[in-house]
């Protein structure tokens, strides 16, 4: 419903515009509004799950990773490499509480992450 406070649920429903780059029945991906790399997309399950702590469904979690590798292949950076990140809760730096996987590419990533 329109009053749902979850930002990514609202994007999934098309209530908030996003640059969608990938869609399946269960998963979608869109450009991050504040990209941290030349290529930075957010991959989400369409159904609301707040954090990685809130699911034990290997299919749900696996689909996020498979979406990342499919995008990497499609966009041509699979061989060069990329970074996938799931931030969880305060110490992980999570700011949007709808489970999502960051896919970053287009530059050499640093390690350890900040
Ligand atoms: P996290 O800090 O892991 O919870 O990541 C949330 C991400 O969502 C950040 O990288 C934000 O830049 C991104 N973000 C926030 N609002 C939007 C939006 N409306 N459209 C696309 N990305 C967004
Ligand atoms: Zn949500």
């Amino acid at each position: 419903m329109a009053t749902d406070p979850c930002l990514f649920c609202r994007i999934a429903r098309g209530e908030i515009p996003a640059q969608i780059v990938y869609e399946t029945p269960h998963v979608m991906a869109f450009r991050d509004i504040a990209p941290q790399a030349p290529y930075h997309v957010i991959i989400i399950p369409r159904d609301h799950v707040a954090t990685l702590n809130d699911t034990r469904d290997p299919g749900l979690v696996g689909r996020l990773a498979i979406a990342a590798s499919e995008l990497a292949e499609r966009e041509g950076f699979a061989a060069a490499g990329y970074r996938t990140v799931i931030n969880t809760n305060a110490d992980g730096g999570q700011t949007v509480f709808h489970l999502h996987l960051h896919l970053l590419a287009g530059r050499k990533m640093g390690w350890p992450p900040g």
Side-chain angles (χ1 to χ4, degrees), residues 32 34-40 102 104-105 107 109:
D32 195 292
Q36 303 300 310
Y39 185 91
H40 185 177
H102 295 257
L104 302 117
R107 65 171 171 82
M109 303 295 158

Side-chain angles (χ1 to χ4, degrees), residues 4 6-9 48-49 97-98:
D4 191 322
C6 177
L7 176 65
F8 289 172
C9 279
H48 182 83
V49 173
F97 287 84
H98 180 129

Side-chain angles (χ1 to χ4, degrees), residues 12-27:
R13 287 198 298 267
E15 294 169 6
I16 291 176
Q19 274 186 268
I20 296 164
V21 298
Y22 180 95
E23 289 193 89
T24 73
H26 293 292
V27 171

Side-chain angles (χ1 to χ4, degrees), residues 7-8 11 16-18 30-34 40 42 87 93-97 100 102:
L7 176 65
F8 289 172
I11 288 177
I16 291 176
F30 49 88
R31 293 270 179 182
D32 195 292
I33 205 166
H40 185 177
I42 298 288
N87 297 324
Q94 186 174 8
T95 61
V96 177
F97 287 84
H100 54 281
H102 295 257

Side-chain angles (χ1 to χ4, degrees), residues 34-110:
Q36 303 300 310
Y39 185 91
H40 185 177
V41 303
I42 298 288
I43 301 170
I44 64 167
R46 288 185 187 274
D47 292 340
H48 182 83
V49 173
T51 82
L52 189 59
N53 293 336
D54 299 302
T55 182
R56 293 291 184 270
D57 180 350
L60 188 153
V61 177
R63 280 191 283 274
L64 303 180
I66 298 299
S69 68
E70 288 187 355
L71 278 163
E73 187 71 34
R74 189 183 87 188
E75 299 300 323
F77 53 76
Y82 54 93
R83 175 72 50 84
T84 48
V85 178
I86 297 175
N87 297 324
T88 301
N89 283 340
D91 279 5
Q94 186 174 8
T95 61
V96 177
F97 287 84
H98 180 129
L99 174 61
H100 54 281
L101 184 147
H102 295 257
L103 170 60
L104 302 117
R107 65 171 171 82
K108 181 122 178 83
M109 303 295 158

